[in-house]
Amino acid sequence: MKKSTLSALIILASSAIAAPALAQDAEAGKASFNKCMACHSIGPDAKNKVGPELNGLDGRPAGSAPDYNYSEANKKSGITWNEANFKEYIKDPKAKVPGTKMFFAGIKNEKEINDLWAYVSQFDKDGNIKKK
């Protein structure tokens, strides 16, 4: 077998093995969101609680949910929420935004983080599930 063919097969096999690890499950993320519900809400009837409502989080600048009193650290963080920023933040909020009011130890499990992002990011700014 030629080296280039063998290399291609190895790359294809590696990506097939890695793909399931990257899959996101919004339904599992919904269950994980139970950890967030004491402080946050999401969906059509979402309201600010101890933390801001999370509708339309994907693409929203940090510190911008209407009528929520954010910490200065959060307002000045310069973060626009996207998958990468969310995943880094949710692992350790105080490390990502020193001075944040968010008292949460974080989620360390990568699959749970992926699933939680899949759940949270599916909501538009009005709390409706985005059309695919």
Side-chain angles (χ1 to χ4, degrees), residues 43 46 53-57 60 122-128 130:
E53 56 86 7
L54 298 178
N55 288 333
L57 188 66
R60 183 169 92 186
Q122 70 182 343
F123 290 91
D124 68 17
K125 67 180 181 60
D126 298 318
N128 299 309
K130 298 173 190 172

Side-chain angles (χ1 to χ4, degrees), residues 3-124:
K3 256 187 177 178
S4 60
T5 304
L6 181 58
S7 295
L9 286 172
I10 291 170
I11 290 169
L12 284 172
S14 297
S15 62
I17 292 167
L22 301 176
Q24 297 179 345
D25 180 349
E27 204 52 42
K30 182 178 181 181
S32 181
F33 191 76
N34 288 331
K35 295 178 181 179
C36 311
M37 286 177 58
C39 299
H40 297 281
S41 64
I42 200 164
D45 298 321
K47 304 267 187 272
N48 293 325
K49 295 170 139 182
V50 172
E53 56 86 7
L54 298 178
N55 288 333
L57 188 66
D58 190 13
R60 183 169 92 186
S64 67
D67 304 319
Y68 183 76
N69 185 21
Y70 286 95
S71 66
E72 285 301 311
N74 197 290
K75 289 190 278 190
K76 294 178 179 179
S77 69
I79 293 171
T80 296
W81 295 113
N82 61 24
E83 185 172 3
N85 283 326
F86 175 84
K87 288 178 176 183
E88 184 179 351
Y89 182 82
I90 204 65
K91 287 178 186 176
D92 187 352
K94 291 196 176 287
K96 177 75 172 165
V97 180
T100 184
K101 295 190 304 186
M102 186 162 164
F103 290 100
F104 183 65
I107 298 173
K108 309 303 184 221
N109 180 287
E110 291 292 329
K111 177 163 179 14
E112 185 176 2
I113 292 169
N114 288 337
D115 294 343
L116 184 57
W117 175 251
Y119 177 69
V120 170
S121 66
Q122 70 182 343
F123 290 91
D124 68 17

